[in-house]
Amino acid sequence: MNKEILKKTEKLVYRYYYYLKNIERLKSKVLILWKQKEEIEKDICHTNITLGEESRSIYYGEKVQISYDNTSYAEKEAIRAIEKLERELVYKKQKILKLHTRIRELEEQVEDINYNINLLEEDDRKFLRYKYGENKSIDQISMIFNMSRATAYRKKDSLICYMGELIGIKNKE
């Protein structure tokens, strides 16, 4: 297998592990947003808001305020606070939906290579994960698998060649 095909295949395998990490990161973010969304819903449900000092105490000063809609300052502040929570809730829901969409897109892109990697033996999958997922050097991998450096390079090249065949990368001749 020539070097161009090796580079293309390695690039795909690097991207595969990068996408897997990205999927996990996005799922973690969704969990955080989901918890925040539930907290906001609980705050809205239980009217868990705090009003400013002006609305809580009686003021005996000269200030006269006329309201044509028969709502007090405290009521207006409560409505404003709840509307703010509702806007934040909508924002969180939109972010969650966008993240779910991105996760599905990444999972779709990863699926072909995931299927092919799962066809490999457990040790070969570990080898690829160490090299391309955890970015360990060949020296580190050779120590982990108790093999010589040259053997580790040959194993890497043979695994990448095999992955290239499974994926279907052809040489442009």
Side-chain angles (χ1 to χ4, degrees):
M1 185 177 257
N2 72 15
K3 291 188 184 245
E4 182 181 328
I5 294 175
L6 278 173
K7 283 184 181 182
K8 284 182 183 179
T9 307
E10 278 188 319
K11 191 175 181 181
L12 285 174
V13 176
Y14 271 123
R15 191 179 306 139
Y16 166 78
Y17 285 106
Y18 172 76
Y19 285 168
L20 285 181
K21 287 178 186 176
N22 212 358
I23 288 169
E24 290 304 312
R25 183 182 59 82
L26 293 174
K27 284 181 178 181
S28 171
K29 199 171 186 178
V30 165
L31 286 176
I32 290 169
L33 288 171
W34 193 263
K35 287 177 186 174
Q36 290 175 351
K37 180 189 82 79
E38 288 177 345
E39 288 173 5
I40 293 169
E41 287 173 340
K42 192 170 107 181
D43 286 347
I44 291 172
C45 210
H46 298 295
T47 319
N48 189 13
I49 56 172
T50 56
L51 302 176
E53 289 293 322
E54 306 86 35
S55 63
R56 285 192 251 150
S57 62
I58 299 173
Y59 179 66
Y60 295 107
E62 299 259 342
K63 185 178 177 185
V64 177
Q65 185 174 358
I66 299 173
S67 175
Y68 295 106
D69 59 0
N70 294 329
T71 56
S72 69
Y73 177 78
E75 290 172 325
K76 286 180 186 177
E77 284 300 307
I79 290 169
R80 242 184 249 130
I82 290 172
E83 286 174 346
K84 182 180 176 186
L85 285 172
E86 287 174 341
R87 282 191 304 272
E88 187 179 356
L89 180 64
V90 167
Y91 175 74
K92 298 290 182 190
K93 285 180 178 180
Q94 287 173 343
K95 278 188 87 165
I96 290 170
L97 289 174
K98 286 179 183 177
L99 288 173
H100 277 298
T101 301
R102 181 70 179 138
I103 289 169
R104 282 191 299 272
E105 289 170 355
L106 289 175
E107 286 175 340
E108 184 179 330
Q109 292 177 357
V110 160
E111 187 52 41
D112 287 338
I113 296 176
N114 190 39
Y115 175 77
N116 292 325
I117 285 180
N118 285 330
L119 293 175
L120 300 174
E121 297 291 324
E122 180 65 29
D123 284 344
D124 295 341
R125 286 195 299 261
K126 281 182 183 177
F127 190 96
L128 288 176
R129 188 180 71 240
Y130 288 142
K131 174 66 181 141
Y132 299 102
E134 297 177 15
N135 292 322
K136 293 194 182 287
S137 69
I138 288 294
D139 291 332
Q140 292 171 320
I141 295 171
S142 64
M143 289 176 62
I144 292 170
F145 284 97
N146 197 22
M147 61 176 67
S148 72
R149 186 174 179 219
T151 305
Y153 272 111
R154 281 194 301 275
K155 183 171 179 97
K156 175 190 79 91
D157 288 344
S158 70
L159 283 172
I160 291 299
C161 287
Y162 184 64
M163 286 299 297
E165 291 171 10
L166 288 175
I167 295 168
I169 294 179
K170 302 275 191 253
N171 191 5
K172 293 181 184 177
E173 293 183 289

